[in-house]
Every structure is written in C-alpha cells, then in structure tokens.
Amino acid sequence: KLGAGTDMRLYHDGTNSYITNATGALKLATETSGIAVTIGHTTSETTVADNLTTTGNTSVGGTLGVTGVTTLSGNATVGGTLGVTGVATFTTHAAFGDSDEVKLGAGTDMRLYHDGTNSYIRNKTGALKLATETSGIAVTIGHSTSETTVADNLTVSGDAAVTGAT
C-alpha cells in the first residue's frame, strides 16, 4: 500500500494482479520522453473496461475490434482496409483526392471519381439509370448555361420537349 491513506495498492488475489488507485489519476509514464510504455504481451489480450483517451498518435499493429461507438475528434489515417459493418455517418463530408475512387457493387461494378480535370460515373454491369424515387420528379442533366453531349445513341421513351435550337 502506497501514499497517504493507502491511496494506491498493488496486490495479487491468487488469480489476478491489481494496481488500484483511490485518489487522482493513475499514470503509467517514463522519466524520459520517447521511451515506450508497453502494456500486455505479444500473445496476450489487453482489455480497456472504460473510456480510453489518447492525446498523441495511436498505432495499431493488428486488428482493432470495436464494439459500440468510436468517436474520433481529430484526423484518422487507415493504412489498410477499413471495414464497417453498419452505417458510416459523416458530420460534414468524406473527402477524396483526385483519381481516388468510390467503388460500389460486387466486383466494383460502379465507380465514381474525379481525375483532376473531369468527373466520372462508370458502370460496367447492367444499365446506368438516373432516376428519382417518386414518379413525376424531374431529372435534370446539365445546367441552364451548360452544354450536354450524348456521345452515343439517345433513346427517349415518352414525350420529348425541346426548348431552344436543335
């Protein structure tokens, strides 16, 4: 038992080992900056039973399994694949660099990207359909002052109204 009133205790109960702290923060630290603190063994599992806050860089060399909600308040970089089961919600937006692609479907059948000059929606299986969920809502292609080019056949299945020169 250490400290005034035995605030900190180090003990083993026959099965588990404990470090308990009754007052203030329990800090694991080194005397010199740059020296690592290692928790766990290379073949063991480390469990955090409450909130975990890191104020510097956090590196995960294996799999990070998260059950519940994870909040990242700064930047996060994933060097491999980020697998999400459920819904990924963004407060503002998801930013992609030039030529970075959003790939959808089995075999990445549909791709969305910008190559630095032009923007693309590419589809390699089935028809690419621009549609609304409700009948009677218009789909507009182009802007009132832009030019729209059809590079192949154009099929109209319904009434065609043309305003302006053809």
Side-chain angles (χ1 to χ4, degrees):
K1 298 178 180 180
L2 304 170
T6 64
D7 294 336
M8 183 177 151
R9 297 185 320 156
L10 172 67
Y11 67 95
H12 184 79
D13 69 1
T15 305
N16 297 304
S17 298
Y18 296 89
I19 300 173
T20 63
N21 188 42
T23 305
L26 176 61
K27 298 181 179 185
L28 299 176
T30 59
E31 285 292 316
T32 306
S33 177
I35 298 175
V37 174
T38 301
I39 299 173
H41 185 270
T42 57
T43 59
S44 67
E45 180 178 299
T46 302
T47 301
V48 177
D50 204 345
N51 297 325
L52 173 65
T53 301
T54 61
T55 56
N57 295 329
T58 301
S59 177
V60 177
T63 300
L64 175 63
V66 177
T67 302
V69 175
T70 299
T71 302
L72 304 174
S73 60
N75 295 330
T77 301
V78 177
T81 300
L82 175 64
V84 177
T85 302
V87 176
T89 302
F90 301 94
T91 303
T92 58
H93 64 278
F96 297 88
D98 284 340
S99 299
D100 291 344
E101 297 183 356
V102 175
K103 297 177 179 181
L104 304 168
T108 63
D109 295 334
M110 184 174 152
R111 301 180 307 161
L112 293 92
Y113 63 96
H114 181 78
D115 69 2
T117 304
N118 298 302
S119 297
Y120 296 90
I121 300 174
R122 292 199 156 165
N123 186 47
K124 70 179 179 182
T125 304
L128 175 62
K129 298 181 179 186
L130 301 178
T132 60
E133 286 291 316
T134 305
S135 177
I137 297 176
V139 174
T140 301
I141 300 174
H143 185 271
S144 60
T145 59
S146 67
E147 181 178 303
T148 303
T149 302
V150 177
D152 204 343
N153 300 322
L154 175 64
T155 301
V156 178
S157 58
D159 297 336
V162 177
T163 57
T166 57

